[in-house]
């Protein structure tokens, strides 16, 4: 066709057009891939890890281990070796590990995060409505599994407040507390066992869903949870966490509210029962917050000066445990304490699969939130430290993490905002920091558990609230978001209001639907742009952008920068009719975008720039075919330029070549415009 390179429709490089028109300009030859490689050479692939300095190369045993792994992969076949390295990331980064430069940072960061995992895990377990020790299990097994399968070098996984809140709401609905509320010790143990089973089943189902998404290579689904949706979701959930912890702060034995309007129901119940609050637990809560909040602020403000963040949570846990033990607060003032933490690990067993149909509706949003938060956090730090992550491998890592950890009675887990930021600030470099974190949690499970016997549960509630600081401060970005994009601001506010008023699950669904609706609405508001040639260049720009653009008489160059589907076909038709003077919409003369004399000239040739049409469905393709027929009937010569291959294929199947010839299809607007000008000159 005439639009192909070398068709001879545009002058060569450095030559000027000999057309008798005001559009005489210089054109260049297309820069092909072969020409680009000849001029600039091949781009060097970006290494996953920076080059190692002299003296910090891998030691001999690891070099031998790397060579053995490569030989084993070669014996198994090149495909098997690549698959093994892709599915086990340590096979790629561990042989290149800089032991002298990175080991100390990973050790310090891992121990610091592990110290925070202990109180935070127990606190989030209460938020999940299970005993505190199961929060320690969830801070151990998922971290260990992600270290082996994850691609985020700076990601810290474990208990996450938003997931704990969502899981706790589902657990309370599946296993409600008896109406009387006064349970014996045996009855309480049976209720806790049922709730632990329900939470483990939720983790099993969410892990199975993520593995199914991995099998279907659906890692791209994380893009549908936009940044405003995720941030509004976490900020709204932080408010739910704050309100849900008020009964524990005040020492009020109130049942947990679930479902829509749960936040307001909890506030009403707390205000009603406020006279019955415990002065001792209220005092403990006030002192704990008075210590935790300033320490969090100091860690943020002086992160560059502190060698490692101050572990305020573990200091508060130790002080409160010693105070409760020495003052006998549990017996004298009936302060609720953690009690005995069982040593060791639970026996692995399969969750009750009979509950899967009941929990499927709860598992899907949990899986989506877990993956979306983890993938977005991993992407943020991957961009910051110049490496890449594999979204499908992240699906595998978190799916296996939730699935296997559910066998040990763990509840749903994901990457966490607070501990990830803490790991980076403490100097973590790779996934190896997760092993040091596991060592700290393991030591608590095996030996140090009895030291937390007298820990007041009010302190755990304060840890929950203080860990929400980063989520609350996300609201500070709203003024900047308003200046950048009013539409994203609307998405943020709609999602946040829906999460706060209704629930986290419904708020997530409403936020995603509203975000997608804004995309659809924006495609329907796109206008067809008239283009003109910028003086002294070969570039075509919208006529409204500058007055230094020229438009040839009888030639109209149009661009439609939006997908062409059933929702935009009407807008496409009206825009083209208005620009070309066709049909009912073209009875009124269009307003001049350029010089008045050029606008008054009837259109004889129209060039439609299709580069902005990223896809077209059957309805949109038929609209282009009808446009070609109407232009032919009106005596207007239609030229199509820069059609994507998929769009051109759809148009061809819809019968476009029955209305136009292959000579009317071009690979660039410049070639099409040159052909149009030549046609106009010949017909003058």
């Amino acid at each position: 066709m005439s639009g192909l390179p070398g068709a001879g429709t545009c002058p060569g490089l450095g030559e000027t057009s000999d057309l008798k028109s005001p559009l005489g300009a210089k054109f260049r030859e297309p820069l092909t891939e072969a020409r680009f490689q000849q001029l600039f050479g091949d781009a060097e692939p970006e290494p996953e890890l920076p080059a190692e300095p002299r003296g910090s190369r891998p030691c001999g045993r690891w070099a031998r281990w790397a060579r053995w792994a490569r030989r084993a992969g070669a014996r198994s076949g090149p495909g098997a070796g690549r698959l093994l390295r892709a599915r086990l990331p340590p096979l790629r980064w561990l042989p290149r590990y800089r032991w002298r430069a990175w080991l100390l940072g990973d050790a310090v960061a891992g121990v610091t995060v592990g110290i925070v995992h202990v109180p935070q895990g127990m606190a989030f377990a209460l938020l999940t409505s299970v005993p505190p020790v199961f929060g320690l299990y969830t801070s151990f097994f998922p971290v260990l599994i992600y270290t082996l399968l994850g691609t985020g070098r700076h990601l810290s996984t474990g208990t996450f407040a938003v997931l704990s809140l969502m899981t706790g709401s589902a657990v309370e609905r599946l296993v409600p507390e008896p109406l009387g509320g006064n349970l014996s010790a045996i009855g309480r143990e049976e209720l806790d066992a049922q709730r632990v089973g329900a939470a483990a089943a939720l983790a099993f189902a969410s892990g199975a869903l993520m593995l199914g998404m991995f099998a279907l290579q659906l890692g791209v689904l994380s893009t549908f949870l936009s940044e405003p949706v995720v941030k509004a979701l976490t900020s709204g959930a932080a408010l739910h966490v704050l309100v849900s912890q008020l009964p524990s702060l005040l020492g009020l034995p109130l049942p947990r509210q679930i479902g829509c309007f749960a936040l307001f129901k909890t506030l009403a119940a707390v205000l009603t029962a406020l006279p019955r609050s415990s002065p001792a637990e209220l005092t403990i809560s006030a002192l704990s917050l008075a210590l935790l909040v300033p320490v969090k602020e100091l860690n943020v403000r002086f992160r560059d000066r502190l060698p490692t963040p101050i572990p305020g949570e573990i200091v508060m846990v130790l002080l409160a445990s010693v105070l409760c033990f020495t003052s006998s607060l549990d017996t004298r003032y009936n302060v609720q304490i953690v009690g005995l933490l069982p040593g060791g690990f639970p026996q692995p067993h399969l969750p009750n699969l009979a509950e899967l149909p009941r929990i499927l509706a709860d598992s899907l949003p949990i899986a989506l939130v877990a993956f979306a938060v983890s993938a977005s956090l991993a992407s943020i730090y991957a961009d910051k430290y110049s490496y890449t992550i594999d979204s499908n491998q992240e699906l595998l890592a978190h799916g296996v993490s939730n699935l296997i950890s559910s066998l040990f009675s763990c509840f749903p887990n994901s990457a966490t905002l607070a501990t990830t930021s803490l790991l980076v600030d403490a100097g973590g470099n790779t996934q190896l920091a997760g092993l040091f974190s596991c060592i700290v949690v393991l030591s608590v499970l095996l030996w140090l558990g009895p030291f937390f016997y007298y820990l007041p549960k009010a302190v755990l509630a304060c840890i929950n609230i203080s860990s929400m600081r980063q989520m609350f401060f996300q609201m500070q970005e709203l003024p900047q978001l308003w200046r950048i994009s009013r539409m994203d601001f609307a998405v943020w506010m709609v999602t946040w209001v829906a999460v706060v008023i209704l629930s986290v699950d419904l708020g997530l669904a409403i936020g995603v639907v509203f975000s997608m609706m804004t995309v659809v609405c924006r495609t329907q508001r796109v206008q067809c742009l008239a283009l003109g040639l910028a003086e002294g260049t070969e570039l075509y720009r919208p006529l409204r952008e500058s007055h230094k653009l020229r438009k040839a008489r009888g030639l109209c160059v149009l661009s439609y920068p939006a997908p062409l589907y059933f929702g935009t076909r009407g807008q496409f038709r009206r825009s083209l009719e208005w620009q070309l003077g066709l049909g009912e919409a073209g009875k009124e003369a269009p307003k001049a975008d350029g010089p008045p004399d050029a606008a008054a000239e009837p259109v004889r040739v129209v060039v439609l720039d299709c580069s902005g049409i990223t896809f077209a469905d059957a309805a949109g393709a038929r609209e282009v075919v009808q446009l070609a027929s109407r232009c032919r009937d009106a005596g207007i010569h239609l030229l199509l330029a820069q059609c994507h291959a998929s769009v051109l294929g759809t148009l061809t199947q819809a019968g476009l070549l029955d209305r136009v010839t292959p000579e009317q299809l071009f690979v660039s607007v410049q070639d099409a415009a040159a052909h149009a000008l030549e046609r106009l000159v010949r017909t003058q």
Side-chain angles (χ1 to χ4, degrees), residues 368-424:
L368 290 177
V369 171
F371 174 58
V373 172
S374 302
S376 61
L377 268 178
S379 299
I380 289 173
Y381 287 101
D383 294 340
K384 182 177 181 180
Y385 292 97
S386 302
Y387 63 92
T388 59
I389 64 166
D390 184 352
S391 58
N392 287 305
Q393 179 66 20
E394 288 296 298
L395 269 176
L396 175 65
H398 291 288
V400 173
S401 175
N402 279 273
L403 193 68
I404 294 181
S405 62
S406 69
L407 305 180
F408 296 90
S409 303
C410 297
F411 49 86
N413 57 87
S414 71
T416 62
L417 299 174
T419 55
T420 298
S421 177
L422 182 64
L423 186 144
V424 174

Side-chain angles (χ1 to χ4, degrees), residues 582-668:
L582 301 175
E584 297 294 332
K587 289 184 177 180
E588 297 181 3
K591 296 180 180 179
D593 287 332
D597 55 343
E601 180 76 16
V603 176
R604 290 184 288 163
V605 182
V606 57
V607 176
L608 181 58
D609 179 13
C610 302
S611 60
I613 304 178
T614 54
F615 71 90
D617 64 357
R622 283 194 292 267
E623 196 65 45
V624 177
V625 174
Q626 293 175 10
L627 172 67
S629 299
R630 298 176 65 186
C631 286
R632 184 178 60 183
D633 296 340
I636 299 176
H637 190 60
L638 175 64
L639 305 177
L640 300 180
Q642 297 187 186
C643 283
H644 295 279
S646 59
V647 175
L648 187 58
T650 305
L651 297 178
T652 303
Q653 294 296 327
L656 177 65
L657 294 182
D658 296 335
R659 307 295 193 276
V660 300
T661 62
E663 285 72 21
Q664 293 174 249
L665 306 177
F666 292 84
V667 295
S668 69

Side-chain angles (χ1 to χ4, degrees), residues 200-357:
L202 284 168
F204 184 90
S206 61
L209 286 173
M210 282 189 274
L211 287 180
M213 294 165 62
F214 164 75
L216 298 175
Q217 298 292 290
L218 295 179
V220 71
L221 287 180
S222 62
T223 59
F224 289 98
L225 290 176
S226 61
E227 182 178 346
V229 171
V230 173
K231 289 189 175 182
L233 175 73
T234 53
S235 296
L239 190 58
H240 276 277
V241 172
L242 171 62
V243 174
S244 67
Q245 296 304 294
L246 290 179
S248 299
L249 292 178
L250 302 174
L252 298 173
L254 298 177
R256 184 169 181 169
Q257 302 293 333
I258 59 176
C260 296
F261 312 107
L263 186 144
F264 304 102
K265 294 177 183 177
T266 304
L267 283 176
V270 168
L271 293 177
T272 303
L274 194 59
R276 304 197 306 270
S277 59
S278 170
E281 296 199 69
L282 181 60
T283 303
I284 292 174
S285 301
L287 293 176
S288 300
L289 289 176
L291 173 66
L292 291 174
V293 174
V295 168
K296 290 277 186 182
E297 192 66 27
L298 287 175
N299 286 334
V300 172
R301 293 198 175 188
F302 300 99
R303 65 175 62 185
D304 297 332
R305 301 181 183 179
L306 293 173
T308 182
I310 303 173
E313 291 87 351
I314 198 66
V315 172
M316 189 67 247
V317 164
L318 295 177
L319 291 177
S321 300
V322 171
L323 177 63
C324 185
F325 172 73
T326 55
S327 304
S328 301
L329 298 180
D330 57 324
T331 56
R332 295 172 58 184
Y333 300 102
N334 198 26
V335 172
Q336 298 295 315
I337 60 175
V338 169
L340 181 63
L341 293 178
F345 298 105
Q347 292 293 330
H349 65 278
L350 196 66
N352 186 9
L353 300 182
E355 297 289 334
L356 290 182

Side-chain angles (χ1 to χ4, degrees), residues 310-591:
I310 303 173
E313 291 87 351
I314 198 66
V315 172
M316 189 67 247
V317 164
L318 295 177
L319 291 177
S321 300
V322 171
L323 177 63
C324 185
F325 172 73
T326 55
S327 304
S328 301
L329 298 180
D330 57 324
T331 56
R332 295 172 58 184
Y333 300 102
N334 198 26
V335 172
Q336 298 295 315
I337 60 175
V338 169
L340 181 63
L341 293 178
F345 298 105
Q347 292 293 330
H349 65 278
L350 196 66
N352 186 9
L353 300 182
E355 297 289 334
L356 290 182
R358 297 177 57 196
I359 65 177
L360 188 59
D362 298 297
S363 302
L364 182 59
I366 288 175
L368 290 177
V369 171
F371 174 58
V373 172
S374 302
S376 61
L377 268 178
S379 299
I380 289 173
Y381 287 101
D383 294 340
K384 182 177 181 180
Y385 292 97
S386 302
Y387 63 92
T388 59
I389 64 166
D390 184 352
S391 58
N392 287 305
Q393 179 66 20
E394 288 296 298
L395 269 176
L396 175 65
H398 291 288
V400 173
S401 175
N402 279 273
L403 193 68
I404 294 181
S405 62
S406 69
L407 305 180
F408 296 90
S409 303
C410 297
F411 49 86
N413 57 87
S414 71
T416 62
L417 299 174
T419 55
T420 298
S421 177
L422 182 64
L423 186 144
V424 174
D425 293 340
N429 298 292
T430 66
Q431 297 94 317
L432 194 63
L435 292 181
F436 293 98
S437 174
C438 290
I439 292 174
V440 175
V441 178
L442 181 64
S443 63
V444 174
L445 287 171
L446 296 181
W447 304 294
L448 304 179
F451 290 97
F452 299 96
Y453 183 92
Y454 289 98
L455 175 62
K457 291 185 178 180
V459 175
L460 297 181
C462 294
I463 292 175
N464 276 333
I465 293 175
S466 63
S467 64
M468 298 295 104
R469 175 193 179 279
Q470 192 172 359
M471 300 185 191
F472 283 127
F473 276 88
Q474 288 179 146
M475 301 188 72
Q476 293 180 340
E477 302 176 6
L478 285 178
Q480 182 183 9
L481 189 62
W482 171 266
R483 293 191 297 268
I484 296 175
S485 173
R486 307 288 175 87
M487 197 67 73
D488 285 346
F489 180 86
V491 171
W492 203 104
M493 292 304 301
V494 168
T495 306
W496 187 85
V497 170
V499 169
V500 170
I501 295 179
L502 299 177
S503 63
V504 177
D505 300 351
L506 290 178
L508 172 63
I510 292 174
V512 172
V513 171
F514 184 77
S515 177
M516 299 303 295
M517 289 288 293
T518 59
V519 176
V520 174
C521 292
R522 276 185 274 194
T523 60
Q524 293 181 332
R525 295 172 55 187
V526 172
Q527 297 292 331
C528 193
L529 301 175
L531 306 181
L533 185 65
E535 291 185 358
T537 72
E538 57 184 75
L539 302 178
Y540 281 82
R541 291 287 182 261
L543 292 174
R544 293 195 182 101
E545 288 186 1
S546 174
H547 296 292
K548 296 183 179 180
L549 297 169
R550 294 183 291 178
K551 180 177 178 182
R553 296 184 179 182
L555 172 63
C556 184
V557 182
L558 301 177
S559 175
Y560 189 76
L564 187 54
Y565 64 103
F566 65 93
T568 59
R569 59 177 297 188
Q571 179 65 24
F572 176 79
R573 184 195 312 121
R574 289 189 294 270
S575 297
L576 268 295
E577 288 177 348
W578 187 82
Q579 292 282 355
L580 303 178
L582 301 175
E584 297 294 332
K587 289 184 177 180
E588 297 181 3
K591 296 180 180 179

